[in-house]
Amino acid sequence: MKREQRQRLDAEFSAFVAGNSRQLIRLAELLTGDPHRARDIVQSALERAYLHWHRITADDPTAYVRRIVVNQHRDWWRRLRNRELPTEHTPERPGREDLAERQAQQALLHQALATLTRRERTVVVLRFYGDLTEAAIAAELGIAPGTVKSTLHRALTKLRARPELADREGGPAGLNPRNIEVTV
């Protein structure tokens, strides 16, 4: 590869990372529930994407890298049996604004997502956080659109049954993952 072409691809990749890393980290954190593991997964996904960037730019690079993130998360779960996991989290110190309500919502969201199976959690996050259509989710995960629909239905039924997710007026579960800020 010529030097000028490599420099152009490096500049494109740097611009992609600058424009999409926050979104990718949020996606990974919603999938994992752990901000540190999420950053590791995104870092690994970006490393893989960089190696094939010359091919990725012809397609939709965001969808390609998002799929790498989902696959990296899936691979992590497969290797989980052979790992030791830390159980204590260092509490973060609040800044000037009161973050208690937002952290409580984040905790509820992560607890609710943790009750779902991996596939259900992945489908819910891609649908409501990633704002993907059912067809796009099916293509990204390599499953049938009907499987996406039934998985999404089962996951939403489980989430709606959780009383702690009902909004303050007593309505049905209205916790929207897109309205939750993930701290990075």
Side-chain angles (χ1 to χ4, degrees), residues 12-124:
E12 288 176 10
F13 184 75
S14 295
F16 173 82
V17 170
N20 293 287
S21 61
R22 186 170 173 87
Q23 177 186 3
L24 292 170
I25 290 170
R26 285 182 179 169
L27 170 69
E29 184 164 329
L30 288 171
L31 289 172
T32 64
D34 181 357
H36 303 292
R37 190 173 344 124
R39 285 180 178 274
D40 289 343
I41 286 173
V42 170
Q43 177 68 32
S44 180
L46 290 173
E47 288 172 5
R48 287 185 181 199
Y50 179 76
L51 295 175
H52 304 288
W53 191 250
H54 61 282
R55 290 188 317 216
I56 296 172
T57 55
D59 296 327
D60 180 10
T62 305
Y64 190 94
V65 175
R66 187 174 48 237
R67 183 161 187 170
I68 294 173
V69 168
V70 170
N71 288 339
Q72 289 287 96
H73 172 63
R74 193 178 306 156
D75 291 346
W76 181 87
W77 272 102
R78 288 179 184 147
R79 293 186 310 264
L80 181 63
R81 293 180 198 135
N82 300 329
R83 285 191 173 175
E84 209 176 287
L85 293 175
T87 57
E88 294 180 347
H89 295 281
T90 305
E92 294 186 24
R93 299 172 75 187
R96 290 184 176 181
E97 64 178 298
D98 183 19
L99 301 177
E101 180 66 28
R102 185 170 59 170
Q103 288 179 343
Q105 286 180 339
Q106 284 178 349
L108 277 176
L109 176 64
H110 290 296
Q111 287 172 359
L113 289 174
T115 63
L116 303 176
T117 65
R118 278 181 283 148
R119 178 180 277 181
E120 289 170 345
R121 183 171 45 251
T122 301
V123 169
V124 167

Side-chain angles (χ1 to χ4, degrees), residues 139-150:
E140 194 154 318
L141 297 179
I143 57 178
T147 303
V148 172
K149 289 178 184 180
S150 62

